[in-house]
Amino acid sequence: MNWSLRACGRHGHVTYAPIEEALRGRLRADTALGEAWRCLRCGDFTLGEPHGSGPAADAPIVLRGKALRDATILRLLAVFRWAKGLLVLGAAFGIWRFRAHQNAIGLAFDEDLPLLQPLADKLGWNLEESGVVHTLRTVLAAETRTLTWIGLGLLVFGALLMTEGVGLWLLKRWGEYFAVVATSLFVPVEVYELVEKVTWLRVVILLVNLAAVLYILLSKRLFGLRGGRAAHEAERHETSLLEVETATLEATLSGHRHPAQTTGH
Protein backbone atom coordinates (compact mmCIF):
# COMPACT_ATOMS: atom_id res chain seq x y z
CA MET A 1 0.00 0.00 0.00
CA ASN A 2 1.24 3.48 -0.89
CA TRP A 3 0.56 5.30 2.37
CA SER A 4 1.51 8.69 0.93
CA LEU A 5 -0.97 8.50 -1.96
CA ARG A 6 -3.64 7.19 0.40
CA ALA A 7 -3.16 10.18 2.73
CA CYS A 8 -3.19 12.67 -0.17
CA GLY A 9 -6.37 11.08 -1.49
CA ARG A 10 -8.05 11.64 1.86
CA HIS A 11 -6.59 14.97 2.96
CA GLY A 12 -5.29 16.59 -0.23
CA HIS A 13 -1.79 17.45 -1.40
CA VAL A 14 0.72 19.59 0.52
CA THR A 15 2.84 21.97 -1.59
CA TYR A 16 5.53 24.46 -0.61
CA ALA A 17 7.63 26.95 -2.60
CA PRO A 18 11.15 27.39 -1.19
CA ILE A 19 12.85 30.73 -1.80
CA GLU A 20 16.10 28.99 -2.82
CA GLU A 21 16.03 29.22 -6.63
CA ALA A 22 17.81 25.95 -7.40
CA LEU A 23 15.58 23.97 -5.05
CA ARG A 24 12.49 25.86 -6.17
CA GLY A 25 13.18 24.81 -9.76
CA ARG A 26 13.17 21.13 -8.78
CA LEU A 27 9.71 21.43 -7.22
CA ARG A 28 7.98 23.60 -9.83
CA ALA A 29 6.86 22.87 -13.39
CA ASP A 30 5.04 24.84 -16.09
CA THR A 31 2.16 23.11 -17.86
CA ALA A 32 -0.42 24.06 -20.47
CA LEU A 33 -2.90 24.52 -17.60
CA GLY A 34 -0.59 26.63 -15.46
CA GLU A 35 2.12 26.10 -12.88
CA ALA A 36 2.32 22.88 -10.90
CA TRP A 37 4.14 22.05 -7.66
CA ARG A 38 5.33 18.74 -6.24
CA CYS A 39 3.45 17.47 -3.24
CA LEU A 40 5.70 17.15 -0.19
CA ARG A 41 3.87 13.98 0.80
CA CYS A 42 3.41 11.84 -2.35
CA GLY A 43 5.88 13.62 -4.66
CA ASP A 44 3.38 14.07 -7.53
CA PHE A 45 2.91 17.40 -9.30
CA THR A 46 -0.38 19.16 -8.62
CA LEU A 47 -1.77 22.21 -10.38
CA GLY A 48 -2.23 25.50 -8.57
CA GLU A 49 -0.35 27.87 -6.34
CA PRO A 50 1.70 26.42 -3.47
CA HIS A 51 0.10 26.25 -0.05
CA GLY A 52 3.10 27.95 1.53
CA SER A 53 6.45 29.55 0.76
CA GLY A 54 9.64 30.61 2.48
CA PRO A 55 13.08 29.20 3.34
CA ALA A 56 13.40 25.45 2.87
CA ALA A 57 14.37 25.12 6.53
CA ASP A 58 10.95 26.50 7.55
CA ALA A 59 8.94 24.09 5.41
CA PRO A 60 6.57 21.80 7.31
CA ILE A 61 7.75 18.24 7.95
CA VAL A 62 5.12 16.12 6.23
CA LEU A 63 4.81 12.47 7.20
CA ARG A 64 5.50 10.14 4.28
CA GLY A 65 5.70 6.40 3.63
CA LYS A 66 6.77 4.43 6.75
CA ALA A 67 6.11 7.42 9.01
CA LEU A 68 2.50 7.51 7.80
CA ARG A 69 2.13 3.80 8.43
CA ASP A 70 3.45 4.25 11.97
CA ALA A 71 1.01 7.12 12.54
CA THR A 72 -1.90 4.94 11.41
CA ILE A 73 -0.91 2.15 13.81
CA LEU A 74 -0.56 4.58 16.72
CA ARG A 75 -3.99 6.04 16.01
CA LEU A 76 -5.52 2.57 15.91
CA LEU A 77 -3.98 1.98 19.34
CA ALA A 78 -5.46 5.32 20.44
CA VAL A 79 -8.95 4.17 19.38
CA PHE A 80 -8.42 0.91 21.30
CA ARG A 81 -7.42 2.88 24.40
CA TRP A 82 -10.44 5.19 24.08
CA ALA A 83 -12.80 2.21 23.75
CA LYS A 84 -11.28 0.59 26.83
CA GLY A 85 -11.38 3.91 28.68
CA LEU A 86 -15.09 4.38 27.94
CA LEU A 87 -15.82 0.89 29.26
CA VAL A 88 -13.90 1.61 32.46
CA LEU A 89 -15.60 4.98 32.94
CA GLY A 90 -18.95 3.28 32.31
CA ALA A 91 -18.13 0.76 35.04
CA ALA A 92 -17.23 3.61 37.42
CA PHE A 93 -20.56 5.29 36.69
CA GLY A 94 -22.38 1.99 37.21
CA ILE A 95 -20.76 1.50 40.63
CA TRP A 96 -21.67 5.07 41.61
CA ARG A 97 -25.28 4.44 40.64
CA PHE A 98 -25.27 1.05 42.35
CA ARG A 99 -23.86 2.55 45.56
CA ALA A 100 -26.84 4.90 45.78
CA HIS A 101 -29.36 2.03 45.47
CA GLN A 102 -27.37 -0.83 47.00
CA ASN A 103 -29.96 -1.87 49.60
CA ALA A 104 -32.88 -1.90 47.14
CA ILE A 105 -30.89 -3.94 44.61
CA GLY A 106 -29.83 -6.38 47.33
CA LEU A 107 -33.43 -6.95 48.43
CA ALA A 108 -34.56 -7.45 44.83
CA PHE A 109 -31.76 -9.95 44.25
CA ASP A 110 -32.67 -12.01 47.33
CA GLU A 111 -36.36 -11.99 46.35
CA ASP A 112 -35.89 -12.87 42.67
CA LEU A 113 -33.09 -15.44 42.94
CA PRO A 114 -35.41 -18.26 44.13
CA LEU A 115 -37.47 -17.75 40.94
CA LEU A 116 -34.50 -19.10 38.97
CA GLN A 117 -34.29 -22.28 41.03
CA PRO A 118 -36.71 -24.42 38.87
CA LEU A 119 -34.78 -23.51 35.71
CA ALA A 120 -31.46 -24.16 37.45
CA ASP A 121 -32.67 -27.59 38.57
CA LYS A 122 -33.58 -28.54 34.99
CA LEU A 123 -30.15 -27.40 33.77
CA GLY A 124 -28.34 -29.10 36.66
CA TRP A 125 -26.99 -25.78 37.85
CA ASN A 126 -26.34 -25.37 41.58
CA LEU A 127 -27.21 -21.75 42.27
CA GLU A 128 -25.78 -21.72 45.78
CA GLU A 129 -22.34 -22.83 44.59
CA SER A 130 -22.34 -20.76 41.40
CA GLY A 131 -19.36 -18.46 40.99
CA VAL A 132 -21.56 -15.80 39.40
CA VAL A 133 -24.02 -15.78 42.28
CA HIS A 134 -21.18 -15.77 44.80
CA THR A 135 -19.57 -12.76 43.07
CA LEU A 136 -22.87 -10.85 42.97
CA ARG A 137 -23.49 -11.50 46.67
CA THR A 138 -19.97 -10.33 47.50
CA VAL A 139 -20.55 -7.09 45.60
CA LEU A 140 -23.97 -6.56 47.17
CA ALA A 141 -22.50 -7.07 50.64
CA ALA A 142 -19.60 -4.68 50.07
CA GLU A 143 -19.35 -1.61 52.26
CA THR A 144 -20.20 1.77 50.80
CA ARG A 145 -16.67 2.98 51.50
CA THR A 146 -15.22 0.04 49.55
CA LEU A 147 -17.47 0.74 46.58
CA THR A 148 -16.47 4.41 46.68
CA TRP A 149 -12.76 3.54 46.48
CA ILE A 150 -13.37 1.06 43.66
CA GLY A 151 -15.34 3.68 41.74
CA LEU A 152 -12.61 6.30 42.24
CA GLY A 153 -9.96 3.82 41.13
CA LEU A 154 -11.89 3.03 37.96
CA LEU A 155 -12.44 6.74 37.33
CA VAL A 156 -8.69 7.45 37.55
CA PHE A 157 -7.85 4.42 35.38
CA GLY A 158 -10.39 5.49 32.76
CA ALA A 159 -9.00 9.03 32.72
CA LEU A 160 -5.47 7.66 32.22
CA LEU A 161 -6.64 5.56 29.27
CA MET A 162 -8.37 8.54 27.67
CA THR A 163 -5.26 10.71 28.17
CA GLU A 164 -3.07 8.00 26.65
CA GLY A 165 -5.40 7.85 23.65
CA VAL A 166 -5.14 11.62 23.13
CA GLY A 167 -1.33 11.51 23.19
CA LEU A 168 -1.18 8.64 20.71
CA TRP A 169 -3.75 10.19 18.36
CA LEU A 170 -1.86 13.51 18.28
CA LEU A 171 1.42 11.60 17.70
CA LYS A 172 3.05 13.35 20.66
CA ARG A 173 6.32 12.11 22.11
CA TRP A 174 4.91 12.28 25.64
CA GLY A 175 1.95 10.18 24.52
CA GLU A 176 4.29 7.44 23.30
CA TYR A 177 6.18 7.42 26.63
CA PHE A 178 2.88 7.52 28.51
CA ALA A 179 1.55 4.55 26.53
CA VAL A 180 4.66 2.43 27.12
CA VAL A 181 4.85 3.13 30.86
CA ALA A 182 1.10 2.79 31.53
CA THR A 183 0.74 -0.41 29.52
CA SER A 184 3.85 -1.97 31.07
CA LEU A 185 2.56 -1.32 34.60
CA PHE A 186 -0.53 -3.45 33.96
CA VAL A 187 1.26 -6.34 32.20
CA PRO A 188 2.05 -8.12 35.54
CA VAL A 189 -1.63 -7.87 36.49
CA GLU A 190 -2.67 -9.39 33.16
CA VAL A 191 -0.11 -12.19 33.57
CA TYR A 192 -1.46 -12.91 37.08
CA GLU A 193 -5.04 -13.05 35.77
CA LEU A 194 -3.90 -15.41 33.01
CA VAL A 195 -2.23 -17.70 35.56
CA GLU A 196 -5.43 -17.72 37.61
CA LYS A 197 -7.58 -18.63 34.60
CA VAL A 198 -6.65 -18.92 30.94
CA THR A 199 -9.17 -17.43 28.53
CA TRP A 200 -8.78 -16.46 24.88
CA LEU A 201 -9.75 -12.86 25.66
CA ARG A 202 -7.05 -12.52 28.31
CA VAL A 203 -4.45 -14.09 26.02
CA VAL A 204 -5.34 -11.74 23.15
CA ILE A 205 -5.29 -8.63 25.38
CA LEU A 206 -1.89 -9.58 26.83
CA LEU A 207 -0.39 -10.24 23.39
CA VAL A 208 -1.79 -6.98 21.97
CA ASN A 209 -0.39 -4.96 24.87
CA LEU A 210 3.04 -6.62 24.66
CA ALA A 211 3.17 -6.07 20.90
CA ALA A 212 2.13 -2.43 21.33
CA VAL A 213 4.86 -1.78 23.93
CA LEU A 214 7.59 -3.39 21.81
CA TYR A 215 6.43 -1.65 18.63
CA ILE A 216 6.35 1.84 20.18
CA LEU A 217 9.66 1.31 22.00
CA LEU A 218 11.54 0.23 18.88
CA SER A 219 9.85 2.27 16.14
CA LYS A 220 9.91 5.52 18.14
CA ARG A 221 13.35 4.85 19.67
CA LEU A 222 12.20 5.58 23.23
CA PHE A 223 14.49 5.55 26.30
CA GLY A 224 17.55 5.89 24.06
CA LEU A 225 16.91 2.73 22.06
CA ARG A 226 18.31 2.64 18.50
CA GLY A 227 19.86 6.09 18.85
CA GLY A 228 17.07 7.70 20.82
CA ARG A 229 15.29 10.94 20.00
CA ALA A 230 18.10 12.33 17.84
CA ALA A 231 18.00 9.29 15.54
CA HIS A 232 14.20 9.45 15.43
CA GLU A 233 14.21 13.11 14.37
CA ALA A 234 16.96 12.45 11.81
CA GLU A 235 14.89 9.63 10.34
CA ARG A 236 11.90 11.95 9.97
CA HIS A 237 14.02 14.55 8.17
CA GLU A 238 15.54 11.92 5.87
CA THR A 239 12.10 11.01 4.57
CA SER A 240 11.21 14.68 3.88
CA LEU A 241 10.94 15.39 0.14
CA LEU A 242 12.68 18.75 0.59
CA GLU A 243 15.54 17.09 2.47
CA VAL A 244 15.90 14.49 -0.29
CA GLU A 245 15.86 17.12 -3.04
CA THR A 246 18.34 19.31 -1.15
CA ALA A 247 20.74 16.40 -0.73
CA THR A 248 20.38 15.49 -4.41
CA LEU A 249 21.03 19.07 -5.47
CA GLU A 250 24.13 19.32 -3.25
CA ALA A 251 25.45 16.03 -4.62
CA THR A 252 24.90 17.25 -8.19
CA LEU A 253 26.69 20.55 -7.56
CA SER A 254 29.52 18.75 -5.80
CA GLY A 255 29.90 16.41 -8.77
CA HIS A 256 30.19 19.39 -11.14
CA ARG A 257 32.85 21.04 -8.98
CA HIS A 258 35.17 18.04 -8.62
CA PRO A 259 36.18 17.72 -12.34
CA ALA A 260 37.08 21.42 -12.49
CA GLN A 261 39.21 21.11 -9.37
CA THR A 262 40.95 18.05 -10.77
CA THR A 263 41.74 19.83 -14.09
CA GLY A 264 43.17 22.78 -12.22
CA HIS A 265 45.67 20.52 -10.46
Side-chain angles (χ1 to χ4, degrees):
M1 177 186 292
N2 191 319
W3 293 92
S4 299
L5 285 176
R6 178 177 177 272
C8 285
R10 294 182 60 189
H11 306 293
H13 296 288
V14 180
T15 54
Y16 186 84
I19 60 176
E20 295 83 353
E21 287 298 328
L23 185 57
R24 184 186 185 95
R26 299 182 67 88
L27 300 180
R28 183 182 181 278
D30 289 314
T31 71
L33 299 177
E35 66 175 1
W37 291 86
R38 288 186 70 186
C39 174
L40 298 184
R41 183 186 289 121
C42 68
D44 290 344
F45 280 95
T46 180
L47 292 171
E49 296 183 356
H51 297 139
S53 63
D58 295 340
I61 297 177
V62 182
L63 298 180
R64 309 173 69 220
K66 180 177 176 293
L68 274 175
R69 183 200 65 189
D70 292 343
T72 301
I73 293 174
L74 289 180
R75 283 173 173 162
L76 286 175
L77 290 174
V79 172
F80 178 74
R81 292 294 187 267
W82 281 335
K84 189 174 180 180
L86 288 175
L87 288 175
V88 172
L89 292 176
F93 177 75
I95 288 178
W96 177 74
R97 292 283 295 172
F98 167 75
R99 187 177 60 89
H101 305 88
Q102 184 177 2
N103 292 333
I105 294 174
L107 291 174
F109 178 79
D110 291 334
E111 291 177 359
D112 295 340
L113 184 63
L115 299 177
L116 297 175
Q117 191 62 53
L119 178 61
D121 292 339
K122 290 182 180 180
L123 297 175
W125 181 25
N126 191 331
L127 282 178
E128 294 303 321
E129 296 181 3
S130 170
V132 175
V133 174
H134 175 72
T135 301
L136 289 174
R137 280 181 170 163
T138 301
V139 173
L140 290 170
E143 295 183 358
T144 303
R145 180 182 300 177
T146 302
L147 292 174
T148 300
W149 281 111
I150 293 174
L152 288 174
L154 290 174
L155 185 63
V156 171
F157 182 40
L160 289 175
L161 288 171
M162 301 302 286
T163 303
E164 180 183 347
V166 170
L168 290 175
W169 184 268
L170 297 177
L171 307 178
K172 297 296 185 180
R173 191 78 173 170
W174 64 262
E176 295 161 1
Y177 275 104
F178 194 102
V180 168
V181 173
T183 304
S184 299
L185 288 176
F186 288 97
V187 166
V189 178
E190 293 168 352
V191 172
Y192 173 78
E193 291 179 344
L194 198 58
V195 171
E196 288 290 312
K197 184 178 180 180
V198 177
T199 66
W200 282 109
L201 181 60
R202 290 178 178 178
V203 170
V204 170
I205 291 175
L206 177 60
L207 291 177
V208 168
N209 286 335
L210 288 175
V213 168
L214 289 175
Y215 176 80
I216 297 174
L217 274 175
L218 296 176
S219 66
K220 300 303 178 182
R221 304 170 188 262
L222 303 183
F223 299 104
L225 293 177
R226 301 177 60 216
R229 185 186 185 94
H232 173 64
E233 292 298 325
E235 184 180 49
R236 289 185 64 189
H237 281 279
E238 285 176 2
T239 60
S240 166
L241 178 64
L242 278 177
E243 295 285 342
V244 172
E245 290 297 334
T246 301
T248 303
L249 184 61
E250 290 176 352
T252 302
L253 294 175
S254 177
H256 284 310
R257 285 196 298 266
H258 287 316
Q261 293 172 354
T262 303
T263 302
H265 287 296

PDB file of all heavy atoms in Angstrom, residues 61-82:
ATOM      1  N   ILE A  61       7.330  19.639   8.100  1.00  0.00           N
ATOM      2  CA  ILE A  61       7.749  18.245   7.953  1.00  0.00           C
ATOM      3  C   ILE A  61       6.490  17.405   7.761  1.00  0.00           C
ATOM      4  O   ILE A  61       5.683  17.264   8.684  1.00  0.00           O
ATOM      5  CB  ILE A  61       8.544  17.771   9.179  1.00  0.00           C
ATOM      6  CG1 ILE A  61       9.830  18.584   9.329  1.00  0.00           C
ATOM      7  CG2 ILE A  61       8.878  16.286   9.056  1.00  0.00           C
ATOM      8  CD1 ILE A  61      10.640  18.230  10.553  1.00  0.00           C
ATOM      9  N   VAL A  62       6.317  16.885   6.579  1.00  0.00           N
ATOM     10  CA  VAL A  62       5.124  16.124   6.230  1.00  0.00           C
ATOM     11  C   VAL A  62       5.431  14.637   6.340  1.00  0.00           C
ATOM     12  O   VAL A  62       6.435  14.162   5.782  1.00  0.00           O
ATOM     13  CB  VAL A  62       4.653  16.472   4.804  1.00  0.00           C
ATOM     14  CG1 VAL A  62       3.385  15.716   4.455  1.00  0.00           C
ATOM     15  CG2 VAL A  62       4.428  17.972   4.678  1.00  0.00           C
ATOM     16  N   LEU A  63       4.607  13.908   7.059  1.00  0.00           N
ATOM     17  CA  LEU A  63       4.812  12.469   7.201  1.00  0.00           C
ATOM     18  C   LEU A  63       4.635  11.781   5.862  1.00  0.00           C
ATOM     19  O   LEU A  63       3.682  12.050   5.133  1.00  0.00           O
ATOM     20  CB  LEU A  63       3.823  11.894   8.224  1.00  0.00           C
ATOM     21  CG  LEU A  63       3.933  12.429   9.653  1.00  0.00           C
ATOM     22  CD1 LEU A  63       2.895  11.766  10.535  1.00  0.00           C
ATOM     23  CD2 LEU A  63       5.322  12.205  10.211  1.00  0.00           C
ATOM     24  N   ARG A  64       5.554  10.872   5.541  1.00  0.00           N
ATOM     25  CA  ARG A  64       5.502  10.141   4.282  1.00  0.00           C
ATOM     26  C   ARG A  64       5.824   8.667   4.530  1.00  0.00           C
ATOM     27  O   ARG A  64       6.519   8.319   5.474  1.00  0.00           O
ATOM     28  CB  ARG A  64       6.529  10.695   3.281  1.00  0.00           C
ATOM     29  CG  ARG A  64       6.490  12.175   3.062  1.00  0.00           C
ATOM     30  CD  ARG A  64       7.655  12.627   2.184  1.00  0.00           C
ATOM     31  NE  ARG A  64       7.501  12.141   0.800  1.00  0.00           N
ATOM     32  CZ  ARG A  64       8.501  11.680   0.065  1.00  0.00           C
ATOM     33  NH1 ARG A  64       9.720  11.584   0.572  1.00  0.00           N
ATOM     34  NH2 ARG A  64       8.286  11.297  -1.187  1.00  0.00           N
ATOM     35  N   GLY A  65       5.310   7.806   3.646  1.00  0.00           N
ATOM     36  CA  GLY A  65       5.698   6.401   3.633  1.00  0.00           C
ATOM     37  C   GLY A  65       5.587   5.711   4.977  1.00  0.00           C
ATOM     38  O   GLY A  65       4.524   5.632   5.590  1.00  0.00           O
ATOM     39  N   LYS A  66       6.727   5.186   5.494  1.00  0.00           N
ATOM     40  CA  LYS A  66       6.765   4.431   6.746  1.00  0.00           C
ATOM     41  C   LYS A  66       6.253   5.256   7.920  1.00  0.00           C
ATOM     42  O   LYS A  66       5.581   4.728   8.818  1.00  0.00           O
ATOM     43  CB  LYS A  66       8.195   3.971   7.008  1.00  0.00           C
ATOM     44  CG  LYS A  66       8.376   3.171   8.289  1.00  0.00           C
ATOM     45  CD  LYS A  66       9.812   2.709   8.424  1.00  0.00           C
ATOM     46  CE  LYS A  66      10.016   1.993   9.756  1.00  0.00           C
ATOM     47  NZ  LYS A  66       9.874   2.912  10.912  1.00  0.00           N
ATOM     48  N   ALA A  67       6.572   6.561   7.918  1.00  0.00           N
ATOM     49  CA  ALA A  67       6.110   7.416   9.008  1.00  0.00           C
ATOM     50  C   ALA A  67       4.585   7.494   9.036  1.00  0.00           C
ATOM     51  O   ALA A  67       3.967   7.532  10.110  1.00  0.00           O
ATOM     52  CB  ALA A  67       6.707   8.817   8.876  1.00  0.00           C
ATOM     53  N   LEU A  68       3.964   7.510   7.861  1.00  0.00           N
ATOM     54  CA  LEU A  68       2.495   7.514   7.796  1.00  0.00           C
ATOM     55  C   LEU A  68       1.924   6.205   8.297  1.00  0.00           C
ATOM     56  O   LEU A  68       0.901   6.180   8.977  1.00  0.00           O
ATOM     57  CB  LEU A  68       2.046   7.755   6.350  1.00  0.00           C
ATOM     58  CG  LEU A  68       1.921   9.208   5.899  1.00  0.00           C
ATOM     59  CD1 LEU A  68       1.588   9.259   4.419  1.00  0.00           C
ATOM     60  CD2 LEU A  68       0.854   9.944   6.701  1.00  0.00           C
ATOM     61  N   ARG A  69       2.580   5.095   7.945  1.00  0.00           N
ATOM     62  CA  ARG A  69       2.125   3.796   8.433  1.00  0.00           C
ATOM     63  C   ARG A  69       2.194   3.742   9.951  1.00  0.00           C
ATOM     64  O   ARG A  69       1.259   3.270  10.617  1.00  0.00           O
ATOM     65  CB  ARG A  69       2.992   2.687   7.834  1.00  0.00           C
ATOM     66  CG  ARG A  69       2.568   1.270   8.221  1.00  0.00           C
ATOM     67  CD  ARG A  69       3.704   0.293   8.012  1.00  0.00           C
ATOM     68  NE  ARG A  69       4.812   0.608   8.910  1.00  0.00           N
ATOM     69  CZ  ARG A  69       6.013   0.016   8.831  1.00  0.00           C
ATOM     70  NH1 ARG A  69       6.258  -0.876   7.881  1.00  0.00           N
ATOM     71  NH2 ARG A  69       6.972   0.337   9.685  1.00  0.00           N
ATOM     72  N   ASP A  70       3.312   4.229  10.512  1.00  0.00           N
ATOM     73  CA  ASP A  70       3.455   4.246  11.969  1.00  0.00           C
ATOM     74  C   ASP A  70       2.367   5.099  12.612  1.00  0.00           C
ATOM     75  O   ASP A  70       1.808   4.735  13.658  1.00  0.00           O
ATOM     76  CB  ASP A  70       4.830   4.799  12.359  1.00  0.00           C
ATOM     77  CG  ASP A  70       5.960   3.856  11.969  1.00  0.00           C
ATOM     78  OD1 ASP A  70       5.679   2.680  11.699  1.00  0.00           O
ATOM     79  OD2 ASP A  70       7.119   4.320  11.925  1.00  0.00           O
ATOM     80  N   ALA A  71       2.054   6.242  11.986  1.00  0.00           N
ATOM     81  CA  ALA A  71       1.015   7.122  12.538  1.00  0.00           C
ATOM     82  C   ALA A  71      -0.345   6.425  12.531  1.00  0.00           C
ATOM     83  O   ALA A  71      -1.126   6.557  13.482  1.00  0.00           O
ATOM     84  CB  ALA A  71       0.948   8.412  11.725  1.00  0.00           C
ATOM     85  N   THR A  72      -0.632   5.668  11.477  1.00  0.00           N
ATOM     86  CA  THR A  72      -1.903   4.941  11.407  1.00  0.00           C
ATOM     87  C   THR A  72      -2.005   3.898  12.513  1.00  0.00           C
ATOM     88  O   THR A  72      -3.050   3.758  13.166  1.00  0.00           O
ATOM     89  CB  THR A  72      -2.050   4.253  10.035  1.00  0.00           C
ATOM     90  OG1 THR A  72      -1.996   5.245   9.005  1.00  0.00           O
ATOM     91  CG2 THR A  72      -3.371   3.502   9.939  1.00  0.00           C
ATOM     92  N   ILE A  73      -0.910   3.174  12.760  1.00  0.00           N
ATOM     93  CA  ILE A  73      -0.908   2.154  13.807  1.00  0.00           C
ATOM     94  C   ILE A  73      -1.106   2.794  15.178  1.00  0.00           C
ATOM     95  O   ILE A  73      -1.884   2.296  16.010  1.00  0.00           O
ATOM     96  CB  ILE A  73       0.402   1.351  13.765  1.00  0.00           C
ATOM     97  CG1 ILE A  73       0.472   0.534  12.467  1.00  0.00           C
ATOM     98  CG2 ILE A  73       0.516   0.428  14.978  1.00  0.00           C
ATOM     99  CD1 ILE A  73       1.781  -0.187  12.264  1.00  0.00           C
ATOM    100  N   LEU A  74      -0.419   3.907  15.424  1.00  0.00           N
ATOM    101  CA  LEU A  74      -0.560   4.581  16.717  1.00  0.00           C
ATOM    102  C   LEU A  74      -1.987   5.077  16.927  1.00  0.00           C
ATOM    103  O   LEU A  74      -2.519   5.018  18.047  1.00  0.00           O
ATOM    104  CB  LEU A  74       0.421   5.754  16.810  1.00  0.00           C
ATOM    105  CG  LEU A  74       1.907   5.398  16.952  1.00  0.00           C
ATOM    106  CD1 LEU A  74       2.745   6.663  17.033  1.00  0.00           C
ATOM    107  CD2 LEU A  74       2.146   4.526  18.177  1.00  0.00           C
ATOM    108  N   ARG A  75      -2.618   5.548  15.865  1.00  0.00           N
ATOM    109  CA  ARG A  75      -3.988   6.044  16.008  1.00  0.00           C
ATOM    110  C   ARG A  75      -4.986   4.902  16.193  1.00  0.00           C
ATOM    111  O   ARG A  75      -6.007   5.075  16.862  1.00  0.00           O
ATOM    112  CB  ARG A  75      -4.342   6.914  14.812  1.00  0.00           C
ATOM    113  CG  ARG A  75      -3.713   8.296  14.937  1.00  0.00           C
ATOM    114  CD  ARG A  75      -3.856   9.169  13.736  1.00  0.00           C
ATOM    115  NE  ARG A  75      -3.357  10.518  14.023  1.00  0.00           N
ATOM    116  CZ  ARG A  75      -3.026  11.399  13.117  1.00  0.00           C
ATOM    117  NH1 ARG A  75      -3.132  11.108  11.823  1.00  0.00           N
ATOM    118  NH2 ARG A  75      -2.581  12.600  13.475  1.00  0.00           N
ATOM    119  N   LEU A  76      -4.685   3.736  15.634  1.00  0.00           N
ATOM    120  CA  LEU A  76      -5.516   2.569  15.915  1.00  0.00           C
ATOM    121  C   LEU A  76      -5.387   2.170  17.386  1.00  0.00           C
ATOM    122  O   LEU A  76      -6.384   1.808  18.028  1.00  0.00           O
ATOM    123  CB  LEU A  76      -5.104   1.399  15.012  1.00  0.00           C
ATOM    124  CG  LEU A  76      -5.522   1.505  13.536  1.00  0.00           C
ATOM    125  CD1 LEU A  76      -4.933   0.341  12.745  1.00  0.00           C
ATOM    126  CD2 LEU A  76      -7.038   1.523  13.401  1.00  0.00           C
ATOM    127  N   LEU A  77      -4.173   2.238  17.919  1.00  0.00           N
ATOM    128  CA  LEU A  77      -3.981   1.979  19.345  1.00  0.00           C
ATOM    129  C   LEU A  77      -4.714   3.011  20.192  1.00  0.00           C
ATOM    130  O   LEU A  77      -5.253   2.686  21.256  1.00  0.00           O
ATOM    131  CB  LEU A  77      -2.482   2.003  19.685  1.00  0.00           C
ATOM    132  CG  LEU A  77      -1.643   0.838  19.148  1.00  0.00           C
ATOM    133  CD1 LEU A  77      -0.164   1.074  19.436  1.00  0.00           C
ATOM    134  CD2 LEU A  77      -2.092  -0.476  19.778  1.00  0.00           C
ATOM    135  N   ALA A  78      -4.740   4.267  19.720  1.00  0.00           N
ATOM    136  CA  ALA A  78      -5.460   5.318  20.442  1.00  0.00           C
ATOM    137  C   ALA A  78      -6.949   5.001  20.507  1.00  0.00           C
ATOM    138  O   ALA A  78      -7.585   5.160  21.564  1.00  0.00           O
ATOM    139  CB  ALA A  78      -5.241   6.668  19.767  1.00  0.00           C
ATOM    140  N   VAL A  79      -7.527   4.534  19.397  1.00  0.00           N
ATOM    141  CA  VAL A  79      -8.950   4.168  19.376  1.00  0.00           C
ATOM    142  C   VAL A  79      -9.211   3.018  20.346  1.00  0.00           C
ATOM    143  O   VAL A  79     -10.218   3.008  21.074  1.00  0.00           O
ATOM    144  CB  VAL A  79      -9.385   3.797  17.945  1.00  0.00           C
ATOM    145  CG1 VAL A  79     -10.802   3.226  17.943  1.00  0.00           C
ATOM    146  CG2 VAL A  79      -9.318   5.016  17.033  1.00  0.00           C
ATOM    147  N   PHE A  80      -8.288   2.041  20.369  1.00  0.00           N
ATOM    148  CA  PHE A  80      -8.416   0.909  21.297  1.00  0.00           C
ATOM    149  C   PHE A  80      -8.398   1.394  22.748  1.00  0.00           C
ATOM    150  O   PHE A  80      -9.177   0.928  23.588  1.00  0.00           O
ATOM    151  CB  PHE A  80      -7.274  -0.080  21.043  1.00  0.00           C
ATOM    152  CG  PHE A  80      -7.263  -1.260  21.966  1.00  0.00           C
ATOM    153  CD1 PHE A  80      -8.189  -2.285  21.820  1.00  0.00           C
ATOM    154  CD2 PHE A  80      -6.322  -1.348  22.984  1.00  0.00           C
ATOM    155  CE1 PHE A  80      -8.181  -3.368  22.674  1.00  0.00           C
ATOM    156  CE2 PHE A  80      -6.302  -2.425  23.844  1.00  0.00           C
ATOM    157  CZ  PHE A  80      -7.233  -3.444  23.689  1.00  0.00           C
ATOM    158  N   ARG A  81      -7.504   2.342  23.039  1.00  0.00           N
ATOM    159  CA  ARG A  81      -7.422   2.883  24.402  1.00  0.00           C
ATOM    160  C   ARG A  81      -8.696   3.655  24.755  1.00  0.00           C
ATOM    161  O   ARG A  81      -9.193   3.569  25.887  1.00  0.00           O
ATOM    162  CB  ARG A  81      -6.205   3.806  24.531  1.00  0.00           C
ATOM    163  CG  ARG A  81      -4.868   3.088  24.447  1.00  0.00           C
ATOM    164  CD  ARG A  81      -4.679   2.152  25.642  1.00  0.00           C
ATOM    165  NE  ARG A  81      -3.352   1.590  25.680  1.00  0.00           N
ATOM    166  CZ  ARG A  81      -3.004   0.427  25.144  1.00  0.00           C
ATOM    167  NH1 ARG A  81      -3.907  -0.294  24.508  1.00  0.00           N
ATOM    168  NH2 ARG A  81      -1.776  -0.036  25.251  1.00  0.00           N
ATOM    169  N   TRP A  82      -9.205   4.444  23.812  1.00  0.00           N
ATOM    170  CA  TRP A  82     -10.437   5.186  24.082  1.00  0.00           C
ATOM    171  C   TRP A  82     -11.611   4.242  24.344  1.00  0.00           C
ATOM    172  O   TRP A  82     -12.420   4.491  25.238  1.00  0.00           O
ATOM    173  CB  TRP A  82     -10.757   6.101  22.900  1.00  0.00           C
ATOM    174  CG  TRP A  82      -9.931   7.356  22.888  1.00  0.00           C
ATOM    175  CD1 TRP A  82      -9.351   7.960  23.964  1.00  0.00           C
ATOM    176  CD2 TRP A  82      -9.601   8.154  21.750  1.00  0.00           C
ATOM    177  NE1 TRP A  82      -8.668   9.088  23.563  1.00  0.00           N
ATOM    178  CE2 TRP A  82      -8.808   9.234  22.218  1.00  0.00           C
ATOM    179  CE3 TRP A  82      -9.900   8.077  20.390  1.00  0.00           C
ATOM    180  CZ2 TRP A  82      -8.318  10.215  21.364  1.00  0.00           C
ATOM    181  CZ3 TRP A  82      -9.405   9.058  19.545  1.00  0.00           C
ATOM    182  CH2 TRP A  82      -8.628  10.109  20.023  1.00  0.00           C
TER     183      TRP A  82
END
